Amino acid sequence: MRPFSYQRPTGIAEALRDASGGGVRFLAGGTNLVDLMRADIERPTAVIDINRLPLGEIEETASGGLRIGALVPNSDLAYDSRVEVRFPLLSSALLAGASAQLRNAATTGGNLLQRTRCYYFYDLATPCNKRDPGSGCAAKSGLTRIHAILGASPHCIAVHPSDMAVALAALEAEVLTTGPSGDRRIGIADFHRLPGDTPQVDTNLEPGELITAIELPAEGFADHYSYLKLRDRLSYAFALVSVAAALRLEDDVVAEARIALGGVAHKPWRNPEAERLLVGRPAGRDGFDAAARVLLEGSEGQGANDFKIPLARRAIVRALEQAAAATPQSPTDKRIR
Amino acid sequence: MAGAAISRSGIGAPVDRVEGRLKVTGAAKYAAEFNEAALLHGHAYASRITKGRIAAIDPSAALAVPGVLDVLTHENRPDLPLLRRHYQDEVASPGIPFVPLWSDKVLFAGQPVALVVAETAEIARYASSLLEIDYEEEPHETDLKEALHRAAAPWRTRKGYVRPKSRGDAPTAFEAAAVRIDGEYHLMPEHHNPMELFGTTVVRHDDGRLTIYDKTQGALNSRNYISKIFGYGGDEIQVLSPFVGGAFGAALRPQHQLFLAVLAARHLERSVRVVMTRQEMWSLQFRPECYQWVKLGAEPDGRLAAIVNHAVTNSSRLETYTDNIVSWGGMLYRCDNADLEYRIAETDTMTPGDMRAPGAATGVNLFEIAMDELAYAAGVDPLELRLRNYAEKDEMHGIDYTSKALRECYAAGAERFGWARRVFEPRSMREGRELIGWGMATGIWEAMQSKTACRATLRADGRLEVATGTADIGPGTYTMMVQVAAERTGLPAERIEAKLGDSTLPYAPVQGGSWTAASTGSAVALACETLRTRLYEMARDLPDSPFASTGIDDVRFEDGEVVRNVDPMNKRMRFEAILEAAGCPELKVEETAKPGMISMMRKARNSHSAVFAEVRVDEELGVMRVTRIVSACAAGRIINPKIARSQILGGIVFGLGMALEEESMMDHRLGRFMNHDLAEYHVPVNADLFDVDIIFVEEQDEEVNPLGVKGVGELGVPGTAAAIANAVFHATGKRIRDLPITIDKLL
Ligand SMILES: Cc1cc2nc3c(=O)[nH]c(=O)nc-3n(C[C@H](O)[C@H](O)[C@H](O)COP(=O)(O)OP(=O)(O)OC[C@H]3O[C@@H](n4cnc5c(N)ncnc54)[C@H](O)[C@@H]3O)c2cc1C
């Protein structure tokens, strides 16, 4: 860990002032940042501990949704009764992630900004355009089992590891920020980026910009949802493929659909076309399979991760079936229905 | 260490671990937790290349960091003995042991090439990131698959290596056999990953003596290693290792941090601690990757006519690490023709090392998948196939077993599991979306005993201490020692204290091979028997002794008293009263228990198990749950059923990891293991475990060792992975010969 300055402001204005220089990182739960600093991958010169900022509340919004403060711990959020009842997809995705201990420490803002688990990003002895821009991508034609099948670039094939973000993508949440250029409201779809030729930039946040909250719109798809996560063991592993599926049904006909994928791209993956294709059709396997194919259009394996393409297709179908049948995947009972 | 309150405590009682409370309250201290004023911290810097040499190291930026005392490299390290035999340890494989900072040569990825010593661990780690190293890279060869063509029979082997012994003419018999299977089986490399990191704290005393707290499976091994290298005399160093947070074989040999911490402590004349990071565990030893080729030929009824069992594992260029891979298949089943061959291929890696059930975990599990294939080729129930081929003898050596209750394991396990209800056809059981499969396999491990000494000391207050230089890496050795001593002396357990993990204690080998219960147990028993005799004689020789003109058979030892069989109410004396009356402040004896060498060679000594597994596979998604495991074990006498069960359970978890999850993935272009943390190297978590049922069948064995115990530390691994893989076949009809069976292989 390199030497850094440390501040612990109590007000947002103060935090932003502290963050105005370069090389700044906000410290929330620290479960990702501190690991990366120890490994000499993140090298901030200034760490601003935001845990004293007043960002720990969950509040109702005027439009019937919820505003979730950036510092709300993942476990508090998952077990909040309003979230459990109205946005169970979010609760379920959170509980599919990490471990109970990590979820206690991890925060809403930090979760969105956690960095990829690409092996090469984590190993200083290897080139990585995300860690060291211009050095090359060792993952490509290396060990690609966990890598992207969608939206990758020649410069980076990493995936975003967050489960929560996948549910937020399906729920069309918005990220509320404040920073040097004032307050902003960023749709979750525009929050994370594809790697392109700047894989070192994960999101559209500006340097020194602070996430203050995440807003959920009123529609939570509480009747028909499922978060299905497939991984290398039954708990405590990152997704090989995950699916956040949400449906609004009217007489077994799909009135509205959302499908977001995790573990397959540099950001939660959605395609409105795939969702539109379901609308007006009966909630059944044929439609689900057609939607899956559209959603996976353009997918490309790297070799060892080719399996993710059929796996994702089947997982999409299964998650939609679970959603339609109102038998969502349980985060605790590991049997998949 | 205090003896906790346990009442019924002799051999066979399911008592709680005597050190349990210390562990769960955090009072038990591990090697890197012993503090010392002005302790320095070393951080080992790991090579970023896999093979080549260091052309230059510039430590100036690191040295300029306030708080950094020194940077040790091959260029400036203190002189070391030149002869490599000084670096050999009790468990070393033949060859040239790796020594950190030896020269400019880089031999494997992650090799420690510098040690930065600073006032805090954080400063040391940071400063190490400022080292500037120029490497000259050379091409490396790490891929076993590519190295197969140069694999050769090991030309030098280590202690414990069982040379595979072929018999009959298996190739011909195979060609002639009515039923045949032929497959290539593969296991990925695995790393031990005990919870506790590798750490050593060296406390340097003013007179130069060292007290060394080391994470090790053998305090004496660490002591001897350091003494030989640095020329210490008997009492100049003491190695202590009272608690070990798991090791699984990784701490059998002295690891990099021990050597580095001592080197720095001597050089700087200060106390020093070195802790290796989790990532650096991938630069330590590992269970080698293995290719195994099995051909089985049988009569139409499944009786074996030919076993061809060949395997290759990798070793390093430094040392020849060998495993017993193919011998198990040669021993386990009745068959006149067996062609067994084991070869190794050198790769540019660290030397592999023993990992829980070394050799058997690999060789038995892969072979038992082949046996399942034979069952299907012959159309014989897999359990019935094993029974038809049941071997009364060790088929490879043609000798009897001291005992072998494997038949009873098959019966008890099958009964508990409900095997009789199994439908032979694959894909015949289904519930909802899940295919259900039932598989089984045989497990086998060795029942070894090694020479071990124990000192027993009875104090004036009637408390007993039993002490030996063994380790307790978790199998319950402290508790076992207390139980054996309680049984032999008749003292209640709460008055007995066990001491271990200290190089000044009587000789014991490293803790490994599941031999500790037999070895240490026998030593404790022997020492306690001698103590008992001496105590009795002391009492008998007292003036007006209640035991005058008796023999030792005329008394018994009960609850801290010597009691005469005739007139027990009046003729009895407390232990402490005897010592007092004899004017003896303490009674101390030391005994060494050795295995009988001749009988060791004349008879085979093994523990056995029959493992049954149920898996449920969501075929569409490739997701699997191992919903039931029954393991029936024959392991001689069970000293503590509760702790023995934990050991088998831990072994089963290892087997499950081997079957489904564990693999160290190397990028062979770089020669580096890439999934080097616990987020990406998957070991089973609680959610992966459902019902696990462990049965110990009765197995009386008076020959194996005086206690009749066989050890249970490793027996849970062999057989478990195969039972699961075979259940996967039964569920899905897919035969997967390449472990672990991950989602992608099931799709
Ligand atoms: C072993 C392990 C397993 C895991 N498994 C999973 C899993 O299965 N699924 C999953 O989704 N996650 C998993 N995680 C990741 C975990 O969810 C994240 O580490 C956690 O959510 C990060 O939150 P934090 O508050 O600790 O962030 P921190 O580590 O504090 O910060 C992360 C980043 O966010 C920035 N940041 C934090 N808050 C703000 C803010 N308000 N505004 C601007 N920037 C901010 C920080 O500067 C830093 O760059 C796992 C982690 C570990 C260690």
Side-chain angles (χ1 to χ4, degrees):
Chain A
M1 203 179 277
R2 303 192 172 223
F4 54 87
S5 69
Y6 174 84
Q7 261 102 230
R8 192 163 52 182
T10 50
I12 289 174
E14 195 189 344
L16 291 181
R17 212 165 41 243
D18 292 343
S20 57
V24 170
R25 282 281 182 271
F26 295 116
L27 174 72
T31 60
N32 193 221
L33 179 63
V34 176
D35 273 6
L36 290 169
M37 285 171 68
R38 269 204 217 109
D40 205 24
I41 296 162
E42 289 275 11
R43 300 171 175 179
T45 51
V47 170
I48 300 174
D49 183 339
I50 58 173
N51 284 289
R52 299 230 166 136
L53 302 188
L55 302 173
E57 300 296 321
I58 304 177
E59 296 155 322
E60 297 286 345
T61 63
S63 56
L66 288 179
R67 182 179 305 115
I68 301 154
L71 287 172
V72 174
N74 287 178
S75 35
D76 288 15
L77 182 57
Y79 294 120
D80 183 275
S81 59
R82 289 161 293 183
V83 176
E84 281 181 317
V85 173
R86 287 153 54 193
F87 304 93
L89 177 63
L90 176 58
S91 176
S92 187
L94 282 161
L95 295 176
S99 66
Q101 293 87 341
L102 281 157
R103 292 192 297 265
N104 286 339
T107 64
T108 307
N111 191 317
L112 269 187
L113 292 175
Q114 62 174 297
R115 309 207 66 190
T116 185
R117 310 304 290 204
C118 172
Y119 314 126
Y120 299 88
F121 176 68
Y122 267 85
D123 190 332
L124 292 174
T126 71
C128 169
N129 287 323
K130 185 181 278 297
R131 173 170 32 78
D132 184 8
S135 62
C137 172
K140 227 172 148 63
S141 69
L143 298 171
T144 58
R145 196 166 177 278
I146 60 175
H147 289 83
I149 51 170
L150 285 161
S153 81
H155 307 285
C156 181
I157 59 170
V159 301
H160 195 263
S162 168
D163 290 297
M164 182 189 83
V166 182
L168 293 180
L171 294 169
E172 297 191 342
E174 288 180 314
V175 183
L176 274 52
T177 70
T178 181
S181 25
D183 294 352
R184 290 209 289 164
R185 187 178 268 278
I186 311 168
I188 185 82
D190 301 321
F191 185 78
H192 294 103
R193 297 158 54 104
L194 289 180
D197 54 9
T198 52
Q200 70 275 18
V201 191
D202 290 351
T203 69
N204 287 318
L205 275 189
E206 286 167 16
E209 192 171 0
L210 177 76
I211 300 177
T212 52
I214 285 170
E215 258 185 39
L216 297 172
E219 175 60 81
F221 301 91
D223 294 332
H224 295 283
Y225 74 94
S226 187
Y227 188 74
L228 180 60
K229 178 178 181 182
L230 305 178
R231 47 189 149 177
D232 279 322
R233 58 186 168 195
L234 294 181
S235 180
Y236 199 27
F238 289 94
L240 290 166
V241 167
S242 72
V243 186
L247 297 171
R248 197 156 55 72
L249 300 184
E250 283 165 10
D251 301 327
D252 289 336
V253 171
V254 178
E256 195 177 356
R258 305 274 176 81
I259 321 167
L261 301 182
V264 296
H266 204 257
K267 60 187 285 189
W269 194 260
R270 269 185 74 192
N271 180 349
E273 212 184 302
E275 296 166 6
R276 270 198 302 274
L277 191 132
L278 287 173
V279 175
R281 291 175 70 160
R285 206 173 164 97
D286 290 348
F288 297 160
D289 195 56
R293 282 167 201 277
V294 172
L295 186 50
L296 290 167
E297 257 167 26
S299 58
E300 205 180 328
Q302 305 288 336
N305 69 346
D306 291 352
F307 75 95
K308 281 189 176 186
I309 300 172
L311 184 64
R313 207 180 72 222
R314 297 169 189 193
I316 295 165
V317 172
R318 184 67 65 85
L320 286 166
E321 284 180 340
Q322 292 180 326
T327 53
Q329 180 58 41
S330 158
T332 49
D333 176 5
K334 303 300 175 184
R335 175 151 167 223
I336 301 173
R337 280 165 215 283
Chain B
M1 218 218 38
I6 35 182
S7 51
R8 242 193 56 65
S9 49
I11 294 177
V15 303
D16 293 344
R17 284 167 186 270
V18 297
E19 84 285 18
R21 190 182 166 79
L22 294 179
K23 281 185 174 162
V24 299
T25 55
K29 279 214 216 176
Y30 296 81
E33 296 180 326
F34 288 89
N35 284 318
E36 174 71 15
L39 184 68
L40 298 178
H41 299 260
H43 182 79
Y45 181 84
S47 164
R48 298 205 174 158
I49 66 164
T50 297
K51 190 173 181 179
R53 62 176 288 272
I54 296 166
I57 295 191
D58 179 1
S60 50
L63 284 167
V65 175
V68 172
L69 277 90
D70 208 345
V71 177
L72 291 172
T73 68
H74 67 278
E75 287 174 350
N76 67 353
R77 64 156 169 81
D79 285 342
L80 289 166
L82 283 174
L83 286 180
R84 289 296 186 95
R85 69 177 152 74
H86 284 98
Y87 304 87
Q88 234 125 22
D89 68 278
E90 187 183 326
V91 196
S93 287
I96 300 171
F98 168 71
V99 182
L101 315 188
W102 181 259
S103 75
D104 60 350
K105 287 218 163 41
V106 175
L107 301 162
F108 55 91
Q111 172 181 323
V113 295
L115 183 77
V116 179
V117 189
E119 270 154 21
T120 68
E122 290 75 17
I123 294 173
R125 189 166 182 178
Y126 160 60
S128 78
S129 72
L130 303 179
L131 291 173
E132 285 187 25
I133 304 185
D134 290 336
Y135 300 98
E136 277 170 17
E137 274 195 82
E138 288 166 29
H140 59 262
E141 295 172 304
T142 52
D143 192 347
L144 179 58
K145 194 166 196 132
E146 311 253 294
L148 286 177
H149 69 274
R150 48 188 171 79
W155 57 280
R156 49 187 183 186
T157 57
R158 61 191 183 125
K159 209 176 105 203
Y161 178 66
V162 180
R163 201 168 290 282
K165 225 175 112 189
S166 297
R167 56 186 183 269
D169 179 358
T172 308
F174 176 76
E175 290 307 325
V179 184
R180 290 185 292 186
I181 66 108
D182 179 351
E184 176 181 283
Y185 303 83
H186 178 238
L187 178 77
M188 286 289 277
E190 296 182 339
H191 280 82
H192 308 62
N193 273 303
M195 187 84 91
E196 182 196 10
L197 297 176
F198 280 83
T200 302
T201 305
V202 178
V203 176
R204 186 181 180 279
H205 304 283
D206 291 341
D207 57 2
R209 282 182 309 113
L210 305 181
T211 303
I212 301 171
Y213 300 93
D214 188 30
K215 176 189 177 74
T216 176
Q217 290 174 244
L220 280 96
N221 192 28
S222 293
R223 197 245 348 243
N224 295 344
Y225 173 79
I226 291 301
S227 299
K228 264 199 293 184
I229 297 173
F230 296 105
Y232 283 107
D235 57 356
E236 288 174 309
I237 57 173
Q238 180 180 17
V239 175
L240 294 167
S241 184
F243 298 102
V244 178
F248 312 119
L252 284 169
R253 299 188 65 182
Q255 291 303 348
H256 310 330
Q257 88 289 343
L258 170 65
F259 172 85
L260 290 170
V262 173
L263 189 76
R266 287 168 52 88
H267 183 59
L268 297 168
E269 303 192 342
R270 294 280 299 272
S271 296
V272 177
R273 172 185 300 153
V274 177
V275 180
M276 313 274 294
T277 64
R278 174 66 58 185
Q279 284 69 23
E280 284 162 353
M281 274 199 198
W282 275 264
S283 69
L284 306 179
Q285 70 282 61
F286 55 96
R287 192 196 296 287
E289 184 174 356
C290 178
Y291 284 93
Q292 190 165 337
W293 299 271
V294 185
K295 292 182 192 175
L296 299 174
E299 306 295 327
D301 64 0
R303 273 182 302 123
L304 280 162
I307 296 172
V308 181
N309 192 12
H310 293 184
V312 173
T313 60
N314 62 327
S315 187
S316 69
R317 306 231 190 242
L318 292 163
E319 294 166 301
T320 306
Y321 174 84
T322 51
D323 257 344
N324 298 326
I325 305 272
V326 296
S327 49
W328 312 100
M331 289 170 75
L332 262 173
Y333 299 107
R334 176 74 203 88
C335 181
D336 290 333
N337 302 294
D339 174 15
L340 312 174
E341 181 190 281
Y342 173 64
R343 291 174 297 147
I344 54 167
E346 289 177 3
T347 51
D348 293 306
T349 55
M350 178 53 172
T351 308
D354 291 332
M355 178 166 169
R356 204 168 190 174
T362 308
V364 175
N365 280 315
L366 296 182
F367 186 81
E368 284 292 302
I369 299 175
M371 282 297 284
D372 200 64
E373 294 200 41
L374 181 67
Y376 277 86
V380 177
D381 172 80
L383 172 57
E384 176 58 26
L385 181 84
R386 270 105 177 153
L387 291 169
R388 283 189 194 164
N389 288 294
Y390 195 83
E392 300 294 343
K393 288 172 181 276
D394 164 352
E395 286 280 310
M396 191 171 78
H397 298 105
I399 53 177
D400 288 333
Y401 286 101
T402 56
S403 62
K404 177 177 176 181
L406 175 59
R407 228 187 264 285
E408 291 76 4
C409 293
Y410 287 138
E415 161 79 31
R416 182 75 58 90
F417 189 81
W419 186 261
R421 295 197 310 275
R422 181 177 186 269
V423 179
F424 180 78
E425 274 314 302
R427 305 183 62 85
S428 54
M429 297 197 283
R430 181 188 289 273
E431 197 179 303
R433 299 195 189 252
E434 288 179 323
L435 290 163
I436 302 173
W438 288 2
M440 60 85 55
T442 309
I444 176 170
W445 184 241
E446 296 170 327
M448 295 177 272
Q449 185 189 352
S450 293
K451 183 177 135 187
T452 300
C454 174
R455 186 181 68 213
T457 312
L458 183 66
R459 304 246 155 76
D461 61 1
R463 293 184 65 87
L464 175 69
E465 176 194 282
V466 281
T468 169
T470 189
D472 186 347
I473 57 171
T477 307
Y478 279 116
T479 314
M480 179 275 294
M481 288 171 69
V482 168
Q483 285 184 262
V484 172
E487 179 94 356
R488 285 299 197 267
T489 59
L491 272 171
E494 48 277 15
R495 280 165 59 186
I496 303 172
E497 184 179 358
K499 275 218 165 130
L500 50 74
D502 178 344
S503 64
T504 63
L505 297 179
Y507 174 80
V510 290
Q511 176 163 69
S514 301
W515 61 54
T516 304
S519 312
T520 301
S522 297
V524 172
L526 199 57
C528 289
E529 282 156 19
T530 303
L531 182 108
R532 202 167 69 173
T533 308
R534 297 268 300 279
L535 186 67
Y536 159 74
E537 287 167 357
M538 198 181 265
R540 184 197 57 201
D541 296 345
L542 290 171
D544 302 321
S545 168
F547 314 115
S549 62
T550 60
I552 191 156
D553 294 339
D554 298 323
V555 299
R556 51 185 196 260
F557 297 78
E558 242 174 46
D559 228 4
E561 289 183 289
V562 182
V563 182
R564 196 165 163 175
N565 292 335
V566 176
D567 193 11
M569 295 311 282
N570 299 309
K571 301 276 163 78
R572 57 199 304 150
M573 264 188 103
R574 302 199 58 75
F575 288 3
E576 50 271 44
I578 299 171
L579 291 185
E580 197 188 335
C584 174
E586 65 176 22
L587 179 56
K588 190 183 287 195
V589 304
E590 186 171 324
E591 286 287 2
T592 300
K594 305 188 203 59
M597 282 306 171
I598 303 210
S599 92
M600 285 274 265
M601 280 154 65
R602 228 182 262 147
K603 287 214 172 157
R605 292 141 196 274
N606 291 90
S607 53
H608 291 88
S609 71
V611 191
F612 298 82
E614 174 182 280
V615 304
R616 289 167 182 255
V617 185
D618 188 309
E619 197 180 23
E620 202 180 21
L621 301 176
V623 175
M624 184 192 328
R625 301 183 299 142
V626 184
T627 41
R628 255 179 345 125
I629 292 180
V630 173
S631 179
C633 305
R637 191 172 179 201
I638 300 302
I639 295 183
N640 181 325
K642 182 175 176 184
I643 294 178
R645 182 183 179 279
S646 302
Q647 282 299 295
I648 298 292
L649 182 60
I652 288 172
V653 174
F654 251 67
L656 191 139
M658 176 178 269
L660 307 183
E661 295 170 11
E662 289 193 48
E663 55 180 323
S664 284
M665 292 183 260
M666 187 179 263
D667 182 330
H668 291 295
R669 299 169 311 167
L670 305 166
R672 297 177 73 80
F673 287 114
M674 292 307 302
N675 55 333
H676 44 45
D677 62 42
L678 287 179
E680 296 302 334
Y681 180 91
H682 298 127
V683 297
V685 293
N686 274 327
D688 292 314
L689 271 293
F690 293 80
D691 280 358
V692 180
D693 202 343
I694 293 153
I695 302 166
F696 291 106
V697 305
E698 179 83 20
E699 190 177 58
Q700 294 203 5
D701 190 331
E702 254 119 64
E703 248 179 298
V704 66
N705 54 58
L707 287 179
V709 308
K710 288 185 170 179
V712 289
E714 286 153 296
L715 180 59
V717 191
T720 297
I724 293 170
N726 295 341
V728 169
F729 172 76
H730 186 234
T732 63
K734 277 202 188 101
R735 181 64 72 183
I736 293 162
R737 302 187 177 99
D738 189 12
L739 302 183
I741 305 173
T742 43
I743 281 193
D744 42 315
K745 295 179 190 165
L746 274 180
L747 280 182

